[in-house]
Amino acid sequence: MKLVCAQSDLSTNLSLVSRAVPSRPTHPVLANVLLTADEETQQVQLTGFDLSVGIRTSFAARVEEGGEITLPAKILNDIVSRMPEGDIQLEERAVDAESEAPETSIIATLTSTSGSYTVRGMEAADFPALPVIEDSEAKAIYLPAEALIEGLRGCLFASSPDETKQVLTGVHLTLDRDGIEFAATDGHRLAVVETVTNASEDEEEEYEDASEAEELEVTVPARALRELERMIGMRQSPEPVALHLDGGQIVFELGTQRLTSRKLEGMYPNYRMLIPNQFLSEINLERRRLLSALERIAVIADQKNHIVKCTVDRDNQEIYLSVEAQDVGSGREALPADISGDEPKEIAFNVRYLMDILKTMTCAEVTVKLNDMTSPVILTPLSGQKQTFLVMPVQLRA
Amino acid sequence: MKLVCAQSDLSTNLSLVSRAVPSRPTHPVLANVLLTADEETQQVQLTGFDLSVGIRTSFAARVEEGGEITLPAKILNDIVSRMPEGDIQLEERAVDAESEAPETSIIATLTSTSGSYTVRGMEAADFPALPVIEDSEAKAIYLPAEALIEGLRGCLFASSPDETKQVLTGVHLTLDRDGIEFAATDGHRLAVVETVTNASEDEEEEYEDASEAEELEVTVPARALRELERMIGMRQSPEPVALHLDGGQIVFELGTQRLTSRKLEGMYPNYRMLIPNQFLSEINLERRRLLSALERIAVIADQKNHIVKCTVDRDNQEIYLSVEAQDVGSGREALPADISGDEPKEIAFNVRYLMDILKTMTCAEVTVKLNDMTSPVILTPLSGQKQTFLVMPVQLRA
């Protein structure tokens, strides 16, 4: 292999695929990136893969001799990112058979204007193959980038970080003609975001084809979707993201970039059932003001059990937040609110759950809907995005 | 105690003194700040103290009732910093004797426009006294803030982080009529900065008095001087810093702020002796270019033993840096240099030590002076500040 490419291209693409390289690889070759140079297309392809999430990207280069090699992701990335701007030559070097054992004889040389580095690699054949979409007949579904960003930003925080929680470690996507619904829950709180997919004229035809199928549902690991969110955020292009589903795999394509992930198998909870239809009270509050008050309350609450108590004073149109941590201290905040319906009893929450939701929202005013002190509470923006957040109250000892 | 002060004053001063509050206090009261309110002067004084370094500061407040109390530094700081701008009322509250044991009955109430918090404190009497200057006859020495900043920035990195190294964990200050000399060494590298103290007209008299004394030497813990560097950096004022020395203590006064520290006892190494007077070769290099090359070399060197080898090519007026890490890779950089004197043999360094020095320097060009491969190497700015850095080469196995 022999090629010349721009330092900025190699560096940007290396840091992108390195996100899928595991920090503690189960097999040595997984600490590497797969580098494939194609003489015909004059393209270099990079792949990082931790057996669950894979990122593949390609960029133009002057490929003098094609080939495949795997190289240590971290060291390669660290060197290339520190190289001066300009051309980098990358060449696979034959190693003197006398001085080196043949099984370790894969070495790449990187040369920039300032200096030259060699890095020891491994056989490309040892690198596990990225899942391919076997059913090539299946059409891609095109998703608008803005809808994906909106849905992921509003949902990802609510998925469970606990690997034993299976489907709850993912975000559940429901696609139909009208749009995509995103949902995530860890059992204590739930986030649902409905987005409208306004396919542009150009994609209209393809999009129509895809959505002629029935409603499509899939649960994707949050870890993969966090990378997707980053990848969309970094792109300049407003192009839609192509989604391929096949067997246990899901593939997102963003121009020359591709993210693959296993799907999460298993029944996703029927979360719609959890959201009450009727409420006894409805409270409108300034979101930022409520968040600031909770941040102060959390200083004390985090010393103990994270519990904040809320009481509602309809006559004064105020809500009160309070916290009590023995041996530490206590706190109380009063906030103006627009309260309608019944005056509910004292209700308690994990302060962190409320803060996560309010930080995710971008609206100026938030509507809180509630029934009694043991029923789920719903937060929605007073206007704007179609977000629904549910949080379970904490039961206080009598 | 009862007082009203500005949220910004209380918050700024709390974060300042909190820097001296230990994260793992040896006694519970050391996790607290001492708060003293003086009705007469209408000042609030805050103190944090870890028994080695102490920070005391004061600010104006409306003190309705004087008193002393200690309150948990972290919780207090976290709450106050999140409070809205405006007035905060702080009041020591008598606790109902029936419900609380008398020994835990110290409680402060903080009230802002948005809410009210109580925090449990401890007796001010339990807080250890900050060292005082007993010899009140001794005049203060006034040090220009810029000279202190210049000296500390150039030296602090070279002190040892290893607490068993005693005096080497500090910076050695030598004061005489002409200026201050700063020195720090961890046994592998040495930094010496000479600063000129241009006492301004206003301070001339006091300064003259102080410097009539002989040369003064003191070794101050790096930890205290890092705080001094921060405190000077945060101040707007160009006022000189007053230095008091007494017994085992050193006190720096910056307006209303005071930093106290124990001195490090013991003989500081005679570092002047270590700096060679004559050199076989002298090399001038672009500092940024050398640093960038070393940063790339370090990617490989850090995988092994941090060693970079340097060779000098006088004919081509170039120096070469190289690194070799078995099973990882190798690297080589060439840099243009202005080389005079003999052409030295290959010489090896810990790449991190060279990088630390080059990062500390601000000059465009650096002069490297050397003798043979086992003698100390000196780095100085080609022009500008009076900095001298010494680094010992690493001995390579033959």
Side-chain angles (χ1 to χ4, degrees), chain B residues 232-250:
Chain B
I232 299 175
M234 280 169 58
R235 276 211 316 173
Q236 313 291 326
S237 152
E239 253 183 286
V241 175
L243 168 71
H244 302 263
L245 282 167
D246 186 36
Q249 296 292 328
I250 184 162

Side-chain angles (χ1 to χ4, degrees), chain A residues 272-279 369 371 375-378 390:
Chain A
R272 279 275 157 215
M273 255 179 50
L274 303 172
I275 304 172
N277 294 318
Q278 291 191 315
F279 301 93
K369 297 178 209 166
N371 289 305
S375 303
V377 172
I378 300 297
L390 177 153

Side-chain angles (χ1 to χ4, degrees), chain B residues 1-310:
Chain B
M1 179 194 298
K2 191 173 178 186
L3 62 96
V4 176
C5 64
Q7 181 269 342
S8 56
D9 285 342
L10 185 54
S11 183
T12 313
N13 286 286
L14 267 175
S15 23
L16 177 67
V17 301
S18 291
R19 308 264 324 162
V21 174
S23 50
R24 287 192 215 87
T26 50
H27 186 280
V29 82
L30 296 179
N32 287 9
V33 289
L34 174 68
L35 198 148
T36 311
D38 188 324
E39 210 178 318
E40 206 171 303
T41 60
Q42 294 285 302
Q43 289 274 317
V44 174
Q45 186 184 71
L46 294 175
T47 310
F49 187 31
D50 68 4
L51 299 182
S52 167
V53 175
I55 301 179
R56 173 165 286 174
T57 174
S58 61
F59 57 95
R62 209 162 68 237
V63 180
E64 292 171 26
E65 200 180 303
E68 280 195 311
I69 188 174
T70 83
L71 294 170
K74 179 151 174 34
I75 291 176
L76 193 64
N77 195 11
D78 285 352
I79 294 175
V80 172
S81 64
R82 286 167 177 77
M83 280 183 159
E85 278 182 39
D87 278 354
I88 291 182
Q89 183 188 292
L90 198 152
E91 190 172 6
E92 194 179 334
R93 182 160 70 83
V95 173
D96 180 358
E98 279 173 60
S99 66
E100 308 271 350
E103 63 271 26
T104 60
S105 60
I106 296 181
I107 285 187
T109 307
L110 284 157
T111 312
S112 77
T113 49
S114 71
S116 169
Y117 290 81
T118 68
V119 181
R120 200 165 280 260
M122 293 174 81
E123 295 273 5
D126 293 344
F127 199 83
L130 217 57
V132 289
I133 298 299
E134 278 162 21
D135 181 4
S136 57
E137 288 298 300
K139 283 239 173 63
I141 303 166
Y142 290 87
L143 310 175
E146 315 83 63
L148 280 169
I149 284 283
E150 183 189 328
L152 295 175
R153 279 205 188 127
C155 263
L156 274 166
F157 78 93
S159 66
S160 175
D162 177 356
E163 280 303 321
T164 65
K165 290 278 184 73
Q166 313 261 356
V167 284
L168 300 192
T169 62
V171 171
H172 191 71
L173 309 182
T174 309
L175 291 82
D176 64 18
R177 283 191 81 87
D178 304 322
I180 320 170
E181 183 168 298
F182 300 76
T185 175
D186 62 1
H188 303 286
R189 64 261 180 83
L190 164 72
V192 182
V193 182
E194 291 163 71
T195 61
V196 180
T197 49
N198 295 313
S200 70
E201 284 302 310
D202 290 355
E203 281 87 50
E204 193 73 26
E205 200 188 330
E206 286 169 293
Y207 180 71
E208 288 289 317
D209 281 352
S211 58
E212 266 164 32
E214 293 147 61
E215 191 178 85
L216 181 78
E217 290 189 60
V218 60
T219 311
V220 187
R223 153 144 167 56
L225 292 176
R226 286 206 179 88
E227 294 308 328
L228 180 65
E229 193 187 6
R230 274 178 61 91
M231 285 163 76
I232 299 175
M234 280 169 58
R235 276 211 316 173
Q236 313 291 326
S237 152
E239 253 183 286
V241 175
L243 168 71
H244 302 263
L245 282 167
D246 186 36
Q249 296 292 328
I250 184 162
V251 179
F252 295 95
E253 269 182 335
L254 304 82
T256 57
Q257 300 172 0
R258 165 184 281 219
L259 174 81
T260 70
S261 171
R262 69 192 168 93
K263 290 195 273 188
L264 288 170
E265 300 297 346
M267 191 67 164
Y268 200 78
N270 184 359
Y271 55 87
R272 280 274 158 214
M273 256 179 52
L274 303 171
I275 304 173
N277 293 318
Q278 292 191 313
F279 301 95
L280 290 177
S281 336
E282 205 174 299
I283 306 167
N284 291 330
L285 288 144
E286 263 182 59
R287 183 183 64 88
R288 291 210 142 276
R289 194 156 175 175
L290 176 59
L291 180 57
S292 302
L294 289 169
E295 279 170 344
R296 291 185 289 272
I297 290 280
V299 174
I300 305 268
D302 288 349
Q303 297 292 316
K304 192 96 176 177
N305 49 17
H306 308 293
I307 290 177
V308 55
K309 289 186 209 171
C310 308

Side-chain angles (χ1 to χ4, degrees), chain A residues 75 78-79 82-84 114-120 295-297 299-300 303 327-334, chain B residues 75 78-79 82-84 114-120 295-297 299-300 303 327-334:
Chain A
I75 290 176
D78 285 352
I79 294 174
R82 286 167 177 77
M83 280 184 159
S114 71
S116 169
Y117 290 81
T118 68
V119 182
R120 201 164 278 259
E295 280 170 343
R296 290 186 289 271
I297 290 280
V299 175
I300 305 269
Q303 297 292 317
D327 302 329
V328 180
S330 63
R332 185 179 158 87
E333 297 270 348
Chain B
I75 291 176
D78 285 352
I79 294 175
R82 286 167 177 77
M83 280 183 159
S114 71
S116 169
Y117 290 81
T118 68
V119 181
R120 200 165 280 260
E295 279 170 344
R296 291 185 289 272
I297 290 280
V299 174
I300 305 268
Q303 297 292 316
D327 302 329
V328 180
S330 63
R332 185 178 157 87
E333 297 270 348

